[in-house]
């Protein structure tokens, strides 16, 4: 199938599919005219790549996980699980940072509210 059909079947833009190929996540064969051609296998692979992106993984990390899919083995599976655990730890740390940032914003908002309320009590009604 051509790139447009793969895009339609997977719900992924042609631009994204080209990016996946540039990053080494996806491969195609080329026709004599240079058009990309894909097999049914790539439909499943694009869906898998999308799930990995949805889990917050970067293309660099996804490339590290693909040997587990392309050449399943105990060693590849172990490496993939370790890499995913590392990514989970990274995401957890980021979530903690976001929670601290939100708490700091909440404190600023409370101070601003108190300041506004105090200003409204001391100024005459408009």
């Amino acid at each position: 199938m051509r790139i447009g059909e793969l895009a339609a079947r997977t719900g992924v833009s042609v631009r994204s599919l080209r990016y996946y190929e540039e990053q080494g996540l996806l491969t195609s064969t080329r026709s004599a005219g240079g058009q990309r051609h894909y097999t049914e296998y790539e439909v499943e692979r694009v869906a898998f790549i999308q799930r990995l992106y949805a889990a917050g993984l970067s293309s660099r990390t996804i490339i590290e996980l693909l040997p587990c899919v392309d050449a399943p083995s105990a060693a590849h599976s172990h490496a993939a699980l370790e890499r995913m655990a590392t990514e989970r730890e990274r995401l957890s740390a980021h979530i903690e940072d976001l929670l601290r940032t939100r708490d700091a914003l909440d404190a600023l908002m409370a101070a601003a509210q108190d300041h506004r309320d105090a200003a409204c009590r001391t100024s005459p009604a408009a």
Side-chain angles (χ1 to χ4, degrees):
M1 77 188 80
R2 291 176 37 191
I3 196 167
E5 184 180 346
L6 181 61
R9 290 188 54 193
T10 60
V12 175
S13 71
V14 168
R15 182 177 179 187
S16 292
L17 294 174
R18 287 186 183 124
Y19 174 78
Y20 294 173
E21 208 166 322
E22 288 171 13
Q23 297 300 306
L25 304 173
L26 189 64
T27 58
S28 66
T29 57
R30 298 287 181 133
S31 69
Q35 294 178 329
R36 291 173 172 92
H37 289 276
Y38 301 93
T39 65
E40 284 297 317
Y41 173 77
E42 278 78 34
V43 174
E44 293 173 28
R45 188 171 185 98
V46 169
F48 178 66
I49 291 167
Q50 286 293 293
R51 287 194 306 273
L52 294 172
Y53 274 127
L57 303 179
S58 67
S59 58
R60 185 179 324 150
T61 301
I62 293 170
I63 287 171
E64 292 177 30
L65 298 176
L66 288 179
C68 188
V69 175
D70 297 335
S73 70
H76 286 155
S77 181
H78 180 72
L81 286 168
E82 281 187 358
R83 186 65 173 110
M84 286 187 281
T86 299
E87 284 301 307
R88 188 180 190 290
E89 290 170 13
R90 182 189 62 79
L91 286 170
S92 293
H94 185 62
I95 289 167
E96 291 298 321
D97 288 344
L98 287 171
L99 290 171
R100 281 190 293 276
T101 301
R102 185 190 63 192
D103 292 346
L105 181 58
D106 286 346
L108 288 171
M109 291 172 65
Q113 178 83 31
D114 291 346
H115 179 73
R116 184 193 67 188
D117 293 348
C120 287
R121 284 193 297 272
T122 60
S123 66

